[in-house]
Amino acid sequence: MRSTLAVSFIVGSAMSALGLAQAGELGATDARAALIWAPFMLLGYAASGQLRRRLAESGMRHAVLTFCVVSAVVILIRALLP
């Protein structure tokens, strides 16, 4: 599951960045924020290899699915509210 999520996040992030750049909405502040957060992303990826051995697979599956549902609901609400 870890590799699937990693690919999804990488592709999604790249598509978002390209879309923002095409719309002229990707500025220096955004690039600076990306550079600031990049080390934390790499640290999380490195830690995930060690943590996956300690977490129950069924519990992780439920946590990921819950996160996905909550995220989707929040996105829908934000898109529908003015």
Side-chain angles (χ1 to χ4, degrees), residues 33-66:
L35 290 174
I36 290 170
W37 287 104
F40 297 104
M41 178 189 67
L42 295 173
L43 182 63
Y45 182 77
S48 67
Q50 299 298 320
L51 290 175
R52 73 182 167 132
R53 295 184 193 105
R54 298 181 183 180
L55 298 173
E57 190 173 318
S58 63
M60 179 57 81
R61 181 174 185 273
H62 290 296
V64 169
L65 290 175
T66 301

